[in-house]
Amino acid sequence: MTSLIRVESVLSSANVTGTYGISSYEKLIVESATSTSGENTTELERNSKVGDRFQMTIILNTDGTYTANGLHGFVSTISPTPQSGQPNPETIQVDAAGTFTVNSSANTITFSQTKGDFILGTFNITTFSENSLVMFQEVVDNQSVGISLKTTT
């Protein structure tokens, strides 16, 4: 996927350090099945998660470590609608830590976890300025029974 990158500041580990609040969160999980010949793919389920409550901070430190603490809430919409109905809104208590590295030539930041379960993997940076850091991640997870999960955060 090609996206327009707006980098208003020099992207480097030193320049991304600071305290960030989360203002938006979207995650799309698509579960699909592909025929054994690989010719036909059928979407089985689509789960869209949209953040609606953010009471947390992420601190990126100059030594390449980070901490993330606070509450994060989201609403899920599943299609087709399950027999039991749509899930209730969820709130998660986040207490996480890890390391990060910045690749300024590729406009990416990669997170590893050492504590908790919050942010992991490589994110494309689509906007970076004095006031904003916008990241995007797409993960394709092929599971054994011919089911492929694609997560976009």
Side-chain angles (χ1 to χ4, degrees), residues 67-127:
T67 57
N69 295 289
L71 296 173
H72 163 56
F74 57 89
V75 175
S76 292
T77 304
I78 299 174
S79 172
T81 301
Q83 250 183 340
S84 59
Q86 295 295 339
N88 292 325
E90 295 180 57
T91 301
I92 327 171
Q93 175 68 46
V94 175
D95 183 17
T99 60
F100 72 93
T101 56
V102 172
N103 181 331
S104 51
S105 60
N107 288 322
T108 61
I109 185 168
T110 301
F111 293 92
S112 298
Q113 300 174 141
T114 57
K115 174 186 171 188
D117 184 18
F118 177 64
I119 191 167
L120 179 65
T122 300
F123 289 76
N124 296 309
I125 297 174
T126 56
T127 302

Side-chain angles (χ1 to χ4, degrees), residues 1-7 107 124-128 134-136:
M1 174 177 195
T2 305
S3 61
L4 181 61
I5 299 172
R6 189 179 84 210
V7 178
N107 288 322
N124 296 309
I125 297 174
T126 56
T127 302
F128 176 60
V134 178
M135 304 181 300
F136 171 86

Side-chain angles (χ1 to χ4, degrees), residues 33-74:
T34 303
S35 67
T36 53
S37 67
E39 294 176 15
N40 299 321
T41 300
T42 302
E43 185 173 302
L44 304 174
E45 182 179 278
R46 179 177 291 260
N47 184 349
S48 174
K49 296 183 178 197
V50 177
D52 67 344
R53 296 174 306 285
F54 306 104
Q55 298 170 342
M56 65 179 300
T57 57
I58 300 174
I59 301 171
L60 301 179
N61 301 301
T62 56
D63 65 356
T65 62
Y66 76 88
T67 57
N69 295 289
L71 296 173
H72 163 56
F74 57 89

